[in-house]
Amino acid sequence: MKKSILLLAIIPFFGCAELQQVANQLPGILEQGNVDIAGGLKEALNNGISKQVTKLTATDGFFKNEAVKILLPEELKKVDSGLRKIGMSKLADDGLRAINRTAEDAVKEATPIFVNAVTGMSFTDAKNILMGNDSAATTYLQGSTSTALYGKFNPVIKNSFAKVGADKIWTQIITKYNSIPLVKKVNPDLTDYVTNQAMNGVFKMIAIEEKEIRTNINARTSNLLKNVFAMQDKK
C-alpha cells in the first residue's frame, strides 16, 4: 500500500501511456480493499500533467518560466554583455532563447526514466519518502535518475542544437564575440551546460508540485489523494 501511496506523489508528471506501463508493472498492489489505486494514479496524472511536464516541453516552457529559465553560464555573461555593447542585442536574445528551446525538446525524454525509478522503488524507500520532508520524493528521484537522465538528455540536446538552429546562432555569437578586439576568446561546452540546467529545471518543477500536494490540502483533489496524504499529515 505504501509503495502505491508514494506513486501518487510523483505520478502527476507522467503521460497516459507511461501511467499504464506503471500499472502493468505493479500487479497486485494497484487496488487495496476499497481503494482504487490505479484510478487514483490516473486522476493524479490528469491533474498534474497539464501543470508540469507539458509546460516544460511546450514552446517557451523553459524560456518564459522564471523558475526554470536557463540563463547563460558565467563565462558567457561577458559574451552577452559584449554583443549588446556593439549593438547586437537581438543576436544575444536569440542565443538565450535557443538554448532554452533545446531543453524543452530534451525533457520529452524524461518520462520513461521516471517510470523505471518508480517501479524500482522498494517498500522501505516508499515509507521513508512518504514520511520524509517536503522534497523527499524529488530527492529520491534525483538520486536514482540523474545518471540516466544525463545520458538521455545529452544526445537529445546535442541534436536539438541543430534542430532548433541553436548551433548556427551560437556559432555566430561566439565568432562575433571572439572578433571583438582585446577580448579573451571563449569556446564553451553548451551541450553539457544545457543538459545539467534542463535536469535542474525538471527536478525544480517536481519539487514545487510535491510540496504543494504535501502541504496544501486543497491540492489533494480527490478522496484518494486526501486519504493517502492524511497518513503523512499525522506523522
Side-chain angles (χ1 to χ4, degrees):
M1 174 67 171
K2 291 179 180 177
K3 183 173 182 180
S4 299
I5 288 170
L6 202 280
L7 291 173
L8 290 173
I10 54 182
I11 204 67
F13 314 103
F14 303 150
C16 293
E18 290 79 12
L19 180 64
Q20 188 58 52
Q21 181 181 343
V22 173
N24 292 339
Q25 291 175 334
L26 294 174
I29 68 168
L30 290 176
E31 189 168 341
Q32 298 288 331
N34 294 322
V35 179
D36 180 8
I37 300 299
L41 296 178
K42 293 177 183 178
E43 182 175 337
L45 158 74
N46 290 331
N47 291 341
I49 191 66
S50 62
K51 295 188 293 183
Q52 302 301 337
V53 170
T54 299
K55 281 185 178 180
L56 291 179
T57 60
T59 299
D60 288 330
F62 272 82
F63 189 66
K64 290 187 177 179
N65 183 341
E66 293 301 322
V68 297
K69 181 178 180 179
I70 300 177
L71 303 177
L72 294 178
E74 197 62 38
E75 73 173 298
L76 288 183
K77 289 180 181 178
K78 60 185 178 183
V79 174
D80 182 88
S81 176
L83 290 176
R84 294 181 192 281
K85 285 179 181 178
I86 61 173
M88 303 195 72
S89 295
K90 183 181 184 303
L91 182 59
D93 291 338
D94 287 346
L96 186 60
R97 185 178 290 104
I99 62 174
N100 281 271
R101 286 284 184 275
T102 64
E104 292 155 11
D105 204 35
V107 170
K108 299 170 186 176
E109 303 294 322
T111 301
I113 295 170
F114 285 140
V115 168
N116 289 337
V118 171
T119 57
M121 188 181 297
S122 70
F123 283 96
T124 299
D125 290 331
K127 178 181 177 181
N128 291 340
I129 294 168
L130 181 64
M131 298 304 173
N133 61 32
D134 289 347
S135 61
T138 305
T139 300
Y140 171 82
L141 282 180
Q142 201 161 5
S144 59
T145 66
S146 287
T147 299
L149 281 178
Y150 187 96
K152 181 69 73 172
F153 278 19
N154 194 257
V156 171
I157 286 174
K158 185 175 181 179
N159 291 333
S160 291
F161 264 92
K163 187 168 82 173
V164 306
D167 56 343
K168 294 179 180 177
I169 292 172
W170 275 96
T171 296
Q172 185 180 1
I173 286 173
I174 299 303
T175 299
K176 288 287 186 184
Y177 178 77
N178 286 343
S179 69
I180 299 174
L182 304 180
V183 301
K184 182 179 179 180
K185 292 178 171 47
V186 297
N187 186 27
D189 183 352
L190 279 175
T191 301
D192 176 72
Y193 175 75
V194 176
T195 298
N196 284 300
Q197 292 302 303
M199 290 169 56
N200 290 342
V202 168
F203 290 124
K204 184 174 289 187
M205 295 306 292
I206 291 174
I208 289 171
E209 182 69 9
E210 179 183 359
K211 184 175 181 180
E212 179 73 0
I213 293 174
R214 285 182 181 272
T215 61
N216 182 3
I217 294 177
N218 293 328
R220 303 169 190 175
T221 53
S222 71
N223 288 332
L224 180 57
L225 288 173
K226 291 173 184 176
N227 292 337
V228 165
F229 288 94
M231 296 177 62
Q232 170 218 257
D233 297 339
K234 295 175 182 178
K235 70 180 180 181

